[in-house]
Amino acid sequence: MDTAPLLPASIRDQFTRDVVYLNTASYGLPPRVAHEATLAVERDRAAGRLTLAFCDEAVERSRAAYARLVGLPVSRVAVGSQASQFVGLVAASLPARSTVLVAEEDFTSVTYPFLALTGRGITVRSVPVARIVDAVDPTVDLVAVSAAQSADGHVVDVAALLAAASAHGARVLLDTTQSAGWLPVPADRVDYLVCSAYKWLLGPRGVCFFAGTEEALADLTPVAAN
């Protein structure tokens, strides 16, 4: 397949031409510049030349790049290792007797952290993803869903979901692991935004970003178990 008409040379030349790769939804290919930077870090680590200051600078550059991508202040962006780490933080901060609405067959990183707390009084209600907007009602405290479903590619109407949640006083946790980089999301209106970088952001596994509104982030105080 001739990709010349599809991409500028500056982008096209960053990727291999040996194969036609169609599995970015599982694991994105690294651009050559990122691949070479990773190898350089490993060479420095093996030689004893890698410094903690360099690692800190790399994290800060990544935070800033993600903040620019989603249009948020870098002060509201955190970096971690995986989506479940941040979803778990949100789950642990929910008051007892909270109700969380999730989509059936959503990615386990979005649902399991809440299911793990049902013994603490958290109720998890699951509905087909196509009905998740209509299922938001006054009993729901948090909606947790992937913007694009990994199982079948279904894309949630994020604007409608945010409107429904706002109308009923619920917050929204949106996982954009399957959508960041190609699906525009009004990040400034999403209470909690989670994104692993190894798919459409073409990053490595073990990198995840977390962001949110100032009000929602201020409420992230894990509740002690009884």
Side-chain angles (χ1 to χ4, degrees):
M1 177 181 178
D2 183 10
T3 60
L6 303 178
L7 294 171
S10 59
I11 297 176
R12 188 173 66 250
D13 292 344
Q14 285 294 319
F15 299 92
T16 179
R17 300 186 187 183
D18 298 332
V19 298
V20 175
Y21 189 77
L22 302 175
N23 204 24
T24 301
S26 292
Y27 206 166
L29 291 180
R32 282 196 172 90
V33 63
H35 175 64
E36 291 164 2
T38 301
L39 295 180
V41 168
E42 278 300 293
R43 285 192 291 268
D44 283 348
R45 187 168 75 97
R49 293 192 298 264
L50 185 64
T51 67
L52 294 180
F54 176 87
C55 295
D56 290 341
E57 291 168 4
V59 170
E60 289 306 308
R61 288 197 302 271
S62 297
R63 287 180 65 216
Y66 179 77
R68 288 195 302 273
L69 179 69
V70 298
L72 291 176
V74 69
S75 60
R76 283 160 51 189
V77 175
V79 178
S81 59
Q82 53 192 338
S84 59
Q85 172 188 4
F86 290 122
V87 178
L89 174 61
V90 175
S93 299
L94 289 174
R97 295 181 295 281
S98 294
T99 295
V100 181
L101 181 67
V102 301
E104 294 176 356
E105 300 183 3
D106 205 340
F107 202 69
T108 54
S109 295
V110 181
T111 59
Y112 279 17
F114 299 106
L115 291 169
L117 295 179
T118 54
R120 207 194 70 197
I122 302 299
T123 298
V124 179
R125 184 189 307 161
S126 61
V127 298
V129 66
R131 290 180 43 218
I132 198 161
V133 173
D134 294 333
V136 182
D137 61 31
T139 68
V140 173
D141 298 289
L142 176 74
V143 184
V145 67
S146 298
Q149 294 290 301
S150 61
D152 59 8
H154 180 95
V155 176
V156 172
D157 187 339
V158 175
L161 178 63
L162 292 174
S166 177
H168 294 292
R171 282 182 169 160
V172 173
L173 182 152
L174 196 67
D175 186 317
T176 60
T177 299
Q178 287 283 2
S179 53
W182 67 268
L183 180 67
V185 169
D188 59 319
R189 296 169 49 207
V190 178
D191 298 292
Y192 302 114
L193 192 69
V194 180
C195 180
S196 291
Y198 66 91
K199 298 195 177 190
W200 299 98
L201 294 188
L202 311 183
R205 283 186 176 272
V207 177
C208 184
F209 298 101
F210 179 64
T213 63
E214 290 184 3
E215 180 183 6
L217 293 176
D219 286 343
L220 288 178
T221 304
V223 177
N226 293 329

